[in-house]
Amino acid sequence: MDNELRFAILIDADNVSDKYIKIILDETANNGIVTYKRIYGDWTTPRLASWKNILLENSIIPIQQYGYTSGKNSTDAAMIIDAMDILYSETVDGFCIVSSDSDFTRLAARLREAGMQVIGMGEEKTPKPFISACNQFKYLDLLYSAQQKEEKEQEQQEKEEKDNREKSALSGKASAKSDPALLKTQNAKMKDVKNVRRIINAIINKFSDEDGWLSTGKLGDQLSKRMPEFDVRNYGFSKLTPFIKSLGDYELQKIPVGGQKQIYVRLKEKKSGK
């Protein structure tokens, strides 16, 4: 982890929807460690109110920038000034510039001239010059659509699992059903496990080898980076491997590496329907 790139995420709230925040953070985490998380806008305006809880949950620092002159985007100027300050502090290796605005084209080019890794993120409407100025560019709307599809499929699978559990309860295992407090705890844990499973899938898809295998050590490192609160003991396990087995979506195998056997994990292949 010591060799991972350090990134600063700078978000233009005037041009980005709050629904993309998980994608922004996950995609940046695929490339390194996030050390700065800042978002710029006029937070006195009602249209940015939906960002409030999201900023708190993800520890993103809002930077207030008033629109001093009508028709002038002071948010862009504030982002550019901060980006240069961070660049000269020599505390990062790269930047994630989140906007669909072409005004950041010169900034992206300048950061690359300084040897920075620049990841751009925006919607498909983003002008080509800004896209070309970045090392990588992520289309947030396309990634969001894919994420929604995956979540819908996962919800269907979880619904089927829930139906099976309810059938088991009706056949005699009704102790949990008679305890509302226990049911509430179980439902909360199921929701949390859903998020953990989503992040594990993203990590495996990003870092696995050509056969889909990823070491559990690497997986654990990435989980800790993306979910600081994650601890397998919260789910009743003492180690990561048994917890992964309990999720049911993965296969594990011991693979010889450097004279020792290490445990690797990959996604199970989905069985096709009739």
Side-chain angles (χ1 to χ4, degrees):
M1 292 182 67
D2 292 339
N3 296 324
E4 289 189 280
L5 298 179
R6 297 163 298 172
F7 278 88
I9 297 178
L10 306 181
I11 304 171
D12 177 7
D14 293 334
N15 282 288
V16 177
S17 170
D18 58 278
K19 69 183 181 181
Y20 296 135
I21 191 61
K22 289 296 182 185
I23 295 173
I24 293 167
L25 297 177
D26 286 350
E27 289 296 319
T28 309
N30 284 339
N31 291 274
I33 300 170
V34 178
T35 55
Y36 289 84
K37 289 186 283 186
R38 296 180 181 177
I39 184 167
Y40 301 78
D42 185 352
W43 302 101
T44 63
T45 59
R47 65 187 183 82
L48 297 184
S50 61
W51 276 100
K52 182 178 178 181
N53 289 334
I54 292 171
L55 301 185
L56 292 172
E57 290 170 3
N58 295 282
S59 189
I60 301 173
I61 299 174
I63 306 298
Q64 171 63 30
Q65 190 61 37
Y66 294 102
Y68 296 109
T69 306
S70 178
K72 300 292 184 180
N73 196 338
S74 55
T75 297
D76 292 3
M79 276 183 64
I80 292 169
I81 291 170
D82 266 13
M84 298 311 294
D85 284 344
I86 295 170
L87 171 66
Y88 293 133
S89 73
E90 299 183 350
T91 55
V92 299
D93 306 294
F95 287 80
C96 176
I97 307 296
V98 187
S99 179
S100 299
D101 192 338
S102 63
D103 288 349
F104 296 106
T105 300
R106 183 67 188 102
L107 172 63
R110 176 66 184 86
L111 294 173
R112 289 187 66 183
E113 289 171 1
M116 295 287 106
Q117 182 78 10
V118 180
I119 302 172
M121 295 189 191
E123 295 183 331
E124 283 188 282
K125 64 183 180 182
T126 305
K128 183 67 174 176
F130 177 40
I131 297 172
S132 300
C134 303
N135 294 97
Q136 302 176 46
F137 193 88
K138 311 288 185 179
Y139 291 106
L140 294 173
D141 43 354
L142 299 183
L143 292 174
Y144 183 76
S145 296
Q147 183 189 73
Q148 292 295 100
K149 181 181 178 181
E150 183 180 338
E151 288 181 357
K152 187 175 181 179
E153 292 173 351
Q154 188 65 45
E155 285 175 2
Q156 179 61 33
Q157 180 182 338
E158 289 176 357
K159 183 179 182 299
E160 292 174 0
E161 292 174 355
K162 181 182 178 182
D163 290 343
N164 291 333
R165 282 194 300 271
E166 288 177 350
K167 289 178 182 178
S168 297
L170 290 173
S171 64
K173 299 178 181 179
S175 58
K177 189 175 180 180
S178 62
D179 187 342
L182 180 58
L183 269 179
K184 184 177 180 180
T185 300
Q186 289 176 338
N187 289 336
K189 185 174 289 188
M190 284 171 56
K191 182 178 180 181
D192 191 40
V193 167
K194 176 183 175 182
N195 188 45
V196 173
R197 185 186 281 114
R198 177 186 66 82
I199 293 175
I200 288 176
N201 291 352
I203 293 170
I204 292 176
N205 288 332
K206 174 65 179 180
F207 295 101
S208 62
D209 62 21
E210 59 184 11
D211 295 318
W213 291 105
L214 177 69
S215 73
T216 53
K218 178 72 171 179
L219 176 60
D221 286 344
Q222 289 296 320
L223 270 173
S224 297
K225 185 172 70 173
R226 299 174 190 227
M227 296 183 69
E229 76 280 12
F230 178 78
D231 189 324
V232 293
R233 292 172 295 184
N234 296 338
Y235 306 90
F237 296 89
S238 59
K239 293 185 178 180
L240 180 61
T241 300
F243 170 71
I244 294 173
K245 284 183 179 178
S246 74
L247 298 177
D249 295 337
Y250 311 96
E251 56 179 304
L252 294 104
Q253 181 176 321
K254 288 184 178 180
I255 299 177
V257 178
Q260 295 182 336
K261 287 189 175 181
Q262 296 183 13
I263 300 176
Y264 279 69
V265 59
R266 72 176 176 184
L267 287 164
K268 286 182 179 179
E269 292 185 5
K270 293 184 178 179
K271 294 181 180 179
S272 58
K274 292 182 181 181

